Amino acid sequence: MIPSAPRVLVVLPAFNEEASVVGVVKEVRAALPDAGCLVVDDGSRDRTAAVANDAGAAVLKLPFNLGVGGAMRAGFRYALQNNYDIVVQIDADGQHDPANVPELLAALDTADLVMGARFAGQGEYEVRGPRRWAMRVLARVLSRVAKSKLTDTTSGFRASGPRAVRLFAEHYPAEYLGDTIEALVIAARADCTIRQVPVAMRPRAGGVPSHDPVKSAVYLGRAGLALVFALIRPKSTFQVGSADA
């Protein structure tokens, strides 16, 4: 499924992450010295792009904020244009540990998409209230869609193999929650194999969290809508060539 010596690109979607992105880039370069590192500056108003470039990352600067989905689609297209086989998504806020990436890469031997799961036996990360209920429901539904046990369907810590990279370069969704929930449905309906490995989440190294109590209160409804819209789209929309094409 994967070439014997695949080229790996680590993509960090970043929006106003000047305070943390340098540390993450340095960790990526230390943990994965042979991998490329791309920071997609998603219309930041601070010096995210400048400090990422100074830290040694390649930088793709978007003219305005598209959200994680739009930034990642740009990252997948960059990977294809520069002959990378695998794309690893890591948050620029420092919550994902690049030291876990080799475990995700190893799991790609039997999968097209590997999730770094926060609720699979490692770490002490907790979610409460409506978001917790929503994530449990989503995990059950998407496990059935993917035909694989998934406990953390909104994780942004992921590794995509060659087939998923080609699929996501064309179809990665940009809507709210689309980059997590809808992307999983797209992968499953394109007959990609999805797996997860347990990882521990770290506290943010800087910046401002993307969720607040008000947003969390409506998370369940939005997540449900994202799932419904993903499921009603025709399966034929998401077909790609074989992994060897």
Side-chain angles (χ1 to χ4, degrees):
M1 182 179 298
I2 297 175
S4 56
R7 298 189 69 221
V8 178
L9 177 68
V10 178
V11 178
L12 283 66
F15 177 62
N16 294 337
E17 297 289 2
E18 176 185 354
S20 60
V21 69
V22 171
V24 179
V25 169
K26 289 181 178 179
E27 283 190 308
V28 168
R29 290 168 60 84
L32 304 159
D34 296 326
C37 182
L38 172 70
V39 172
V40 182
D41 181 2
D42 190 20
S44 297
R45 296 183 294 272
D46 63 6
R47 299 183 66 252
T48 292
V51 298
N53 182 72
D54 290 344
V59 176
L60 182 61
K61 188 169 176 62
L62 304 183
F64 47 83
N65 182 251
L66 295 178
V68 176
M72 282 307 302
R73 185 184 289 194
F76 283 115
R77 291 184 174 181
Y78 177 98
L80 283 183
Q81 292 168 1
N82 290 275
N83 300 313
Y84 285 99
D85 305 295
I86 293 171
V87 169
V88 179
Q89 177 182 347
I90 293 181
D91 283 353
D93 61 12
Q95 289 187 292
H96 299 153
D97 188 348
N100 291 138
V101 172
E103 298 172 52
L104 274 66
L105 297 179
L108 283 176
D109 287 343
T110 58
D112 299 298
L113 176 63
V114 177
M115 314 282 298
R118 296 166 289 184
F119 314 115
Q122 281 195 23
E124 300 178 354
Y125 184 82
E126 279 192 271
V127 174
R128 300 179 183 275
R131 289 191 68 213
R132 181 179 181 180
W133 308 331
M135 293 170 84
R136 285 184 173 180
V137 172
L138 288 169
R140 290 182 182 179
V141 174
L142 288 169
S143 290
R144 298 183 70 174
V145 172
K147 299 178 182 178
S148 178
K149 183 178 180 180
L150 303 174
T151 60
D152 186 10
T153 56
T154 61
S155 172
F157 193 11
R158 306 180 174 199
S160 300
R163 192 164 186 273
V165 170
R166 293 197 301 275
L167 173 69
F168 289 149
E170 184 174 353
H171 297 295
Y172 207 77
E175 298 80 8
Y176 178 72
L177 292 175
D179 59 290
T180 53
I181 297 167
E182 188 175 356
L184 282 175
V185 175
I186 289 172
R189 299 188 77 188
D191 299 320
C192 290
T193 301
I194 303 170
R195 298 281 184 266
Q196 71 174 29
V197 297
V199 298
M201 181 74 89
R202 305 185 299 190
R204 287 181 64 94
V208 180
S210 58
H211 290 287
D212 59 33
V214 175
K215 290 182 179 179
S216 294
V218 298
Y219 185 92
L220 179 58
R222 289 185 172 185
L225 286 174
L227 179 59
V228 169
F229 284 128
L231 290 172
I232 63 176
R233 295 178 68 180
K235 181 177 179 180
S236 59
T237 303
F238 309 122
Q239 297 307 306
V240 294
S242 68
D244 298 326

